Amino acid sequence: MTHYVIVGNSAAGIAAAEAIRSVTLNGDVTIVSDEPLHPYSRCLITEAIAKDSPVEEISFRPVDFYHRLNIQPLLGKIVDAIHPAEQKIRLDNGRELSYNALLVATGARAVRADVPGQELDGVFTLRTWSDAQRIARKAEKAERAVVIGGGLVSLKAAAALKKRGVPRITVVVKSGRLLSRQLDERGAALIQQALEAEGIEFVWGQNPKAFKNKPGSSLIETVLLEDGREIKASLVIVGKGVIPNVELIKEAGGRVRQGAIVNKYQQTSLPGVYAAGDVGETIDLLTGEMVPSGLWTLAVEQGKIAGFNMAGERCIYEGNLTRLNAAEFAGVPFVSVGLVEKEGTGWKHMSYFSSHKNSYRRLVFRENRLVGAILVGDISQAGIYTALIRQGIEVSGHEEELLYGEVSGYQFMGLAKLDQNLSRMKVGHSTLEGGNKYA
């Protein structure tokens, strides 16, 4: 009997399992996960910091999910190795599982600070539900917290600590602004002002040099910065990005760069082995480059593609936007899509600020096409901008109308080349060859 094995129980792994079962009810499907929990949304784990909430509140599949799809879950188990020649995986307890098709959807892990004192009690990274729970427990009695990093995870953590009631929170940022991968200076300043109004403080141009404790204690007491300043802290959260968990594929002889290298079917260089989600690299629609992407929606798309192909349906992944972020801080929402930082010949940047709405908009054009958009405060036309960027529609002559929000998506419908061929079915930005009667 065919055996499909999936390593990973989050967005990509669950999407793959569902895709397999949409193609065939035959064969065994096993999901192995190092976490002992039902599938939950990693994007929402700061809810456990902000308030005492059970993991069920952010679960994205019902409790009978495994039973209903006839899936065997092996939760709280660690995969130690892949043996592609034997088509087996080995768990850290020595147990082996045979497979006909294997998906590695092991995600990514948080980057640690790599400075003295990172092992002290009270210094955390934030990637899993258990991380969030441990931070919440520490936050109960914390008088002052320090958050390292100015990205999405760090700011969500800082906002959650504020909701939890931590009296004083300082965010330490190496760059000169927040969200440097998503926003420009003007947009970042609006988010900064909103967070400062909530009582969150910022230190700029610094990284931690060390985490220090009292002599004879294992508890964090201060954060030593590069310029010699020290900040009192009984709780530290390090948010400096993530690293794809490629070790299983690499040690089995598979090709990796930053992430696992996959082809248009989500196959790795190992026979019968696929990869999807944060662990792998994906095609950026705007640049054509293979890059890692931590977007949940892309992980779902790639998981589906991998699952269809594992089950014998030939399905091509055509790539997507690898930069598409949306969040809200202190009542100020923002959306960032596409190439918001790029400049050069043929590029044009346009921006608009409304003091009445306290909103900001910046659009980036390349060769008469919209390729990037930043919206802060008023995000009402984010869907139109995203569609124009994704489809690569020429907008020559409409730039100012787009900037001021005076254009609707209908004005471009005649320009969009939508594939209506009934023999092809789109799954995100992928194509099932010959259709799929189960989809």
Side-chain angles (χ1 to χ4, degrees), residues 244-306:
N245 292 321
V246 299
E247 286 75 16
L248 282 176
I249 294 172
K250 184 177 181 179
E251 291 169 8
R255 296 179 61 214
V256 301
R257 283 186 295 251
Q258 290 177 278
I261 298 174
V262 296
N263 65 14
K264 60 185 179 180
Y265 304 108
Q266 294 299 135
Q267 291 174 304
T268 71
S269 59
L270 301 172
V273 180
Y274 298 75
D278 294 6
V279 70
E281 297 184 355
T282 189
I283 304 169
D284 186 288
L285 274 184
L286 296 177
T287 66
E289 298 174 349
M290 295 293 292
V291 294
S293 176
L295 297 183
W296 182 274
T297 51
L298 267 61
V300 172
E301 289 181 4
Q302 294 162 27
K304 286 181 180 179
I305 302 314

Side-chain angles (χ1 to χ4, degrees), residues 30-44:
T30 300
I31 293 179
V32 186
S33 174
D34 58 355
E35 292 189 85
L37 300 171
H38 201 70
Y40 66 88
S41 176
R42 202 175 300 279
C43 311
L44 300 176

